[in-house]
Amino acid sequence: MFENLSERLSGVFDRLTKQGALSEDDVKTALREVRVALLEADVSLPVARDFVKAVQEKATGQAVTKSVTPGQQVVKIVHDELVHVLEGEGEPGELKVDNAPAPILMVGLQGGGKTTTTAKIAKRLKEKQGKRVLMASLDIYRPAAMQQLEVLGRQIGVDTLPIVEGQSALQIAKRAQQQATMGGYDVYMLDTAGRLQIDEKLMGEVEDVRNAVKPRETLLVVDGLTGQVAVEVAEEFDAKVGITGVVLTRMDGDGRGGAALSMRAVTGKPIKFVGLGEKMEALEEFRPEQIAGRILG
Ligand code: GDP
């Protein structure tokens, strides 16, 4: 499907080395290939441009001094730089869940995988950290979404807040907070309503809930296959409600993972997890090495 970047670069350098020593221009030619590969992997243009510039600075000096296998050398520099950009602070997959009950706010567009991811994270907190978790759906517009969370809760053995009709998202959030406090839960997760696109009403609602519960984590769940759109959604949510981390879903698909790079470069927020399927187990902590390998092809 995609031409392998490593091979492509070797080809470029083969041609170049026959003409003599590597110059800055030679590296530039190779980096043009890198840029194309990044764009093919769905990295946004400005991010790809900045990335190539950073690599160029590192590659120029090195390539001239050690030109044994220049192609591989540039690939390694590119790889290391990818990992560098992708890495966030803190341990991947680590969530702030001290000071019980710790609220986690889940935000994102409809269909991004928010409800599924809420349950996946709850299961993980329960099984890996022995946390008592309460989940609550704030999606007052779609009763089916509330029921979906309840069904998932039963499936993974995690409690959900009883559904009460006619309450606002804020009222439900406060009820969740109360129940979590009284019931001795360690964490309560609020699965907010998603829309097909960002609108003021949705943001206002999420803001009200955020102000009321003061979440320890606000996680944005976005479809990793949507590339540039995912990045725009992240920027918007971050500007309006302030996110603490990102979960990229559908990374089991055949996307090249470029959204991860753009996401990191543009928002500066850590990618905490990746979703790798519909099953409750299909959640992994984000590993920069893996995505770097995928982008390089
Ligand atoms: P929400 O509207 O954001 O709450 O999205 P849902 O959680 O209902 O997910 C929408 C669909 O995407 C469901 O069919 C999920 O099973 C599916 N889904 C969620 N995460 C993943 C993932 O990581 N990979 C795949 N392949 N499907 C996913």
Side-chain angles (χ1 to χ4, degrees):
M1 181 177 53
F2 297 101
E3 199 184 347
N4 181 310
L5 178 61
S6 312
E7 285 166 15
R8 212 192 276 181
L9 281 181
S10 299
V12 170
F13 275 101
D14 280 352
R15 281 200 306 277
L16 294 172
T17 41
K18 280 185 194 120
Q19 294 162 14
L22 290 170
S23 69
E24 201 176 315
D25 275 352
D26 297 338
V27 175
K28 254 187 202 154
T29 310
L31 289 180
R32 221 169 284 143
E33 298 290 328
V34 174
R35 197 169 84 134
V36 171
L38 289 176
L39 295 177
E40 278 178 2
D42 215 5
V43 174
S44 71
L45 185 60
V47 172
R49 231 183 245 146
D50 287 352
F51 183 88
V52 166
K53 211 182 284 165
V55 170
Q56 190 179 357
E57 278 162 22
K58 286 176 190 159
T60 308
Q62 272 196 34
V64 177
T65 50
K66 299 187 267 171
S67 53
V68 200
T69 51
Q72 278 166 342
Q73 206 170 314
V74 174
V75 170
K76 179 167 184 337
I77 297 167
V78 171
H79 175 270
D80 292 351
E81 185 63 17
L82 281 173
V83 171
H84 173 71
V85 176
L86 287 167
E87 257 168 354
E89 13 12 288
E91 286 293 305
E94 198 177 58
L95 297 175
K96 291 198 189 81
V97 286
D98 46 336
N99 297 338
I104 299 181
L105 194 60
M106 306 294 290
V107 301
L109 295 184
Q110 188 175 313
K114 196 160 21 66
T115 303
T116 311
T117 305
T118 301
K120 284 178 178 177
I121 292 178
K123 176 177 154 69
R124 193 186 161 93
L125 286 170
K126 175 189 155 190
E127 290 174 2
K128 295 225 160 131
Q129 292 174 248
K131 299 286 182 194
R132 275 196 76 209
V133 185
L134 176 71
M135 303 189 292
S137 169
L138 308 189
D139 197 343
I140 52 174
Y141 312 99
R142 290 191 310 146
M146 289 194 166
Q147 283 151 16
Q148 184 193 350
L149 192 67
E150 219 171 46
V151 169
L152 292 175
R154 272 201 295 276
Q155 197 182 314
I156 58 173
V158 167
D159 293 340
T160 46
L161 188 74
I163 297 172
V164 175
E165 275 176 38
Q167 288 199 317
S168 69
L170 186 59
Q171 283 170 324
I172 302 172
K174 285 183 176 163
R175 192 156 53 86
Q177 186 180 41
Q178 227 170 24
Q179 171 120 350
T181 308
M182 292 192 318
Y185 288 91
D186 299 305
V187 178
Y188 63 103
M189 303 187 68
L190 302 175
D191 180 16
T192 61
R195 299 279 160 81
L196 292 175
Q197 57 201 24
I198 287 170
D199 65 44
E200 289 301 316
K201 192 167 172 222
L202 167 76
M203 285 298 177
E205 199 174 275
V206 178
E207 262 178 276
D208 288 347
V209 170
R210 180 204 60 189
N211 293 342
V213 306
K214 309 223 166 18
R216 297 287 282 137
E217 298 277 0
T218 300
L219 301 179
L220 173 75
V221 181
V222 276
D223 183 339
L225 295 182
T226 57
Q228 192 48 32
V229 172
V231 179
E232 282 160 21
V233 167
E235 276 189 289
E236 193 112 3
F237 269 97
D238 194 30
K240 296 266 163 64
V241 297
I243 59 174
T244 59
V246 178
V247 181
L248 285 178
T249 62
R250 300 215 175 80
M251 296 300 277
D252 47 313
D254 59 4
R256 293 292 299 275
L261 188 74
S262 304
M263 189 72 81
R264 280 286 307 145
V266 173
T267 68
K269 297 292 150 114
I271 299 166
K272 301 270 188 183
F273 297 103
V274 292
L276 295 167
E278 304 203 355
K279 295 219 175 79
M280 286 294 102
E281 300 72 43
L283 182 80
E284 278 184 10
E285 51 211 41
F286 175 68
R287 288 201 294 272
E289 296 274 344
Q290 210 171 36
I291 301 291
R294 210 159 141 166
I295 292 174
L296 276 173

